[in-house]
């Protein structure tokens, strides 16, 4: 019985798919029914989509308006989202578009080091002297209070009473031998003012780089795939990066 089955299988005709005729070899492989079904299904889906879009275009109200129209536009038949660039200054937008996160972090570190070095050189003595402060002196009676002399009590020159730092005593002033003229004093004051201006410029620059760096960090975080979209808490400004509230996700 088994030998008969083997003989029947050996005598079966082999059905091969029809090949492309030699005269039509330049057209490629001969399309089969399964290929035609895929092509026909794809064509029908595209025609149904076009039919639906034509119907929506015919039924569209020309006076219709929705707020997303302000933040999007069509260029050459393609829909594009507009970049909201009014939240930052032009320099910040250009920096975010042309430089990457590592470059901004490096420049911020350089500015912070220069600020620290300038502050160490200047010591911020003028700022200390302008800061209001109270110094209480105790006297024995009202007569001593009326005759109280602050320069004599501090043992310093009357012109140095208003200074909180670098206020030498009279005996120390008598030991100093100064050979500085008015021109030297003016030059020193000018160099000091220039140093303070440079310090303020670098502080402002470091603040701008901080905003750009935090904005780039947030953009990188928003690109990551998350189950829940973060909630916008505050929009970005020239002085503050945008703030988002992320839902806590437990890491495996």
């Amino acid at each position: 019985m088994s030998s008969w089955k083997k003989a029947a299988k050996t005598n079966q005709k082999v059905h091969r798919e029809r090949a492309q005729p030699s005269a039509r070899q330049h057209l490629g492989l001969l399309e089969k029914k399964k290929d035609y079904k895929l092509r026909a299904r794809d064509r029908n889906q595209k025609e149904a989509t076009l039919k639906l879009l034509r119907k929506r275009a015919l039924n569209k109200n020309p006076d219709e308006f929705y707020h997303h129209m302000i933040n999007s536009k069509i260029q050459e038949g393609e829909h594009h989202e507009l970049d909201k660039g009014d939240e930052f200054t032009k320099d910040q937008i250009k920096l975010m578009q042309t430089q990457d996160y590592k470059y901004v972090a490096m420049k911020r570190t350089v500015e912070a080091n220069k600020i620290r070095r300038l502050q160490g050189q200047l010591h911020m003595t003028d700022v200390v002297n302008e800061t209001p402060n109270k110094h209480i002196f105790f006297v024995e009676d009202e007569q001593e209070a009326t005759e109280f002399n602050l320069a004599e009590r501090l043992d310093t020159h009357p012109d140095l009473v208003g200074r909180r730092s670098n206020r030498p005593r009279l005996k120390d002033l008598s030991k100093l031998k100064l050979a500085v003229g008015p021109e030297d004093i003016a030059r020193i004051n000018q160099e000091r003012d220039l140093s303070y201006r440079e310090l303020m410029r670098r502080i402002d620059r470091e603040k701008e780089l901080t905003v750009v760096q935090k904005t780039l960090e947030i953009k990188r975080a928003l690109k990551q795939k998350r189950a829940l979209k973060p909630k916008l808490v505050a929009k970005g400004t020239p002085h503050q990066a945008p703030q988002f509230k992320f839902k806590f996700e437990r890491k495996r």
Side-chain angles (χ1 to χ4, degrees), residues 21-244:
S22 58
R24 296 171 57 88
Q25 289 291 338
H26 63 281
L27 299 177
L29 297 176
L30 182 64
E31 186 181 41
K32 306 301 187 294
K33 184 176 181 179
K34 59 180 181 179
D35 301 325
Y36 167 77
K37 289 174 66 176
L38 293 175
R39 186 167 56 86
R41 188 181 298 113
D42 180 65
R43 179 179 175 83
N44 292 335
Q45 290 178 354
K46 291 179 179 178
E47 288 183 351
T49 303
L50 291 175
K51 185 177 180 181
L52 179 62
L53 293 176
R54 291 192 190 98
K55 183 178 179 181
R56 291 180 179 177
L58 291 174
N59 296 333
K60 182 179 180 181
N61 184 4
D63 298 329
E64 180 182 1
F65 173 79
Y66 53 95
H67 292 282
H68 192 64
M69 289 180 177
I70 303 175
N71 302 325
S72 62
K73 65 179 180 179
I74 298 177
Q75 294 179 348
E76 299 180 358
E78 295 182 357
H79 183 269
H80 296 276
E81 296 287 339
L82 293 179
D83 294 332
K84 298 180 181 179
D86 54 346
E87 300 175 354
F88 305 98
T89 61
K90 293 182 179 179
D91 294 335
Q92 290 175 344
I93 295 173
K94 184 178 180 180
L95 192 60
M96 283 188 288
Q97 292 177 348
T98 56
Q99 308 296 345
D100 58 355
Y101 173 79
K102 292 183 178 179
Y103 176 79
V104 175
M106 182 267 295
K107 295 296 291 183
R108 181 191 172 191
T109 304
V110 171
E111 292 295 334
N113 293 335
K114 291 182 179 178
I115 290 172
R116 196 179 301 110
R117 186 169 62 252
L118 283 174
Q119 288 178 343
Q121 294 175 356
L122 297 174
H123 300 291
M124 307 298 289
T125 54
D126 291 346
V127 178
V128 172
N129 293 329
E130 293 175 0
T131 304
N133 190 20
K134 292 183 179 180
H135 194 159
I136 300 175
F137 294 93
F138 296 93
V139 296
E140 295 294 337
D141 50 16
E142 294 182 359
Q143 182 180 359
E144 185 179 355
T146 55
E147 297 176 357
F148 184 78
N149 189 346
L150 184 58
E152 183 179 353
R153 183 65 176 270
L154 295 176
D155 191 21
T156 186
H157 194 274
D159 295 337
L160 303 178
V161 170
R163 305 184 65 175
R164 294 178 55 194
S165 62
N166 194 14
R167 187 172 56 197
R169 297 183 179 183
L170 292 175
K171 60 179 181 180
D172 297 329
L173 289 174
S174 61
K175 298 177 181 179
L176 294 177
K177 296 180 180 180
L178 301 177
V180 181
E183 297 180 356
D184 297 330
I185 295 176
R187 177 180 55 80
I188 293 173
N189 292 334
Q190 183 179 5
E191 292 177 355
R192 182 192 59 187
D193 293 340
L194 292 176
S195 299
Y196 275 113
R197 291 177 186 176
E198 181 184 359
L199 177 61
M200 295 305 298
R201 286 197 302 267
R202 294 195 179 278
I203 290 175
D204 294 337
R205 175 67 172 173
E206 197 269 341
K207 290 180 179 179
E208 290 185 357
L209 290 173
T210 302
V211 174
V212 175
Q213 182 180 0
K214 292 183 178 179
T215 304
L216 292 176
E217 290 178 355
I218 293 174
K219 286 188 175 182
R220 291 172 60 183
L222 292 176
K223 290 182 180 180
Q224 298 178 1
K225 294 183 179 179
R226 299 179 182 272
L228 296 177
K229 187 177 180 181
K231 181 181 179 181
L232 178 63
V233 178
K235 293 184 177 180
T237 63
H239 307 289
Q240 182 181 359
Q243 299 178 4
F244 286 85

